[in-house]
Amino acid sequence: VQLVESGGGLVQAGGSLRLSCAASGTIFPIPTMGWYRQAPGKQRELVATFTRGTSTNYTDSVKGRFTISRGNAKNTVLLQMNSLKSEDTAVYYCKAEWVRRNYWGQGTQVTVSS
């Protein structure tokens, strides 16, 4: 499974960005896909994820601001990020769990200027 992220960039505080992740390498739907992020000097953390296909889980700091959704194409996930804050600045990674293995994308930088 290969993951490709897109949609990162530089945005002012209060602005919005939408990240996209496309998985390839399997014809079957991947039920568990989501987004993680890693800020400089910090550990990688969960942002939002689908679990068991339709259930979602968000870290507390993004609840009400970020929304994870499935894209129209198979095995794509989107992350709509609104009301961005400087503390959201990080490299965002897409993750997929497939056949008991974890796959990661290369990451996309999100920078929020205050």
Side-chain angles (χ1 to χ4, degrees):
V1 171
Q2 297 82 42
L3 302 174
V4 177
E5 304 111 331
S6 61
L10 173 65
V11 64
Q12 288 189 330
S16 299
L17 283 174
R18 189 176 80 162
L19 305 183
S20 177
C21 173
S24 61
T26 177
I27 63 171
F28 300 103
I30 301 174
T32 301
M33 291 183 68
W35 293 94
Y36 288 69
R37 68 186 178 187
Q38 187 167 18
K42 295 187 177 181
Q43 289 189 329
R44 193 171 297 187
E45 65 171 354
L46 168 75
V47 178
T49 188
F50 282 102
T51 57
R52 294 187 291 276
T54 57
S55 298
T56 57
N57 185 32
Y58 294 87
T59 191
D60 286 345
S61 63
V62 308
K63 287 179 180 177
R65 300 189 297 121
F66 291 11
T67 303
I68 190 170
S69 62
R70 298 279 186 179
N72 291 329
K74 187 176 64 179
N75 290 334
T76 61
V77 288
L78 309 174
L79 185 67
Q80 179 66 43
M81 304 185 294
N82 298 328
S83 302
L84 283 160
K85 304 175 181 180
S86 57
E87 51 262 44
D88 295 317
T89 295
V91 178
Y92 284 69
Y93 297 91
C94 180
K95 177 188 173 183
E97 297 178 17
W98 181 245
V99 193
R100 289 180 287 182
R101 288 186 61 183
N102 293 328
Y103 296 87
W104 294 91
Q106 81 284 356
T108 184
Q109 177 70 46
V110 171
T111 302
V112 184
S113 63
S114 57

